[in-house]
Amino acid sequence: MSHILSEVGFLDGPRNKGQSRADAWKRDERMEELAKLEASHPEIFDRMGISARMSLGYYQNDKENAAAHGRDVNKEGN
């Protein structure tokens, strides 16, 4: 069913989910700090709760997607 719906045309053209995600991405300093912690102290990061680690994974995935779509992901306050 979702395959059928994903092929539906829209009046203003097809949707680009990757671009929509890139447009919605916002820099989060808390997630940036978690990423630094993961890189510098992986043993501490591994002891953190699963929800924080999953959130960082989603954030990093969205950040990579935003960069792939031309966003400047390193800019403060983005």
Side-chain angles (χ1 to χ4, degrees), residues 15-58:
R15 298 288 186 246
N16 182 339
K17 290 181 184 179
Q19 184 65 53
S20 296
R21 282 179 48 213
D23 293 342
W25 182 81
K26 289 184 174 48
R27 184 177 178 86
D28 185 337
E29 292 306 319
R30 295 172 302 168
M31 289 293 130
E32 296 294 331
E33 290 298 319
L34 267 179
K36 289 177 189 174
L37 178 67
E38 179 185 29
S40 64
H41 297 92
E43 67 284 349
I44 294 172
F45 182 79
D46 288 342
R47 287 185 276 164
M48 292 183 70
I50 189 72
S51 59
R53 292 185 286 158
M54 286 179 61
S55 294
L56 179 60
Y58 285 124

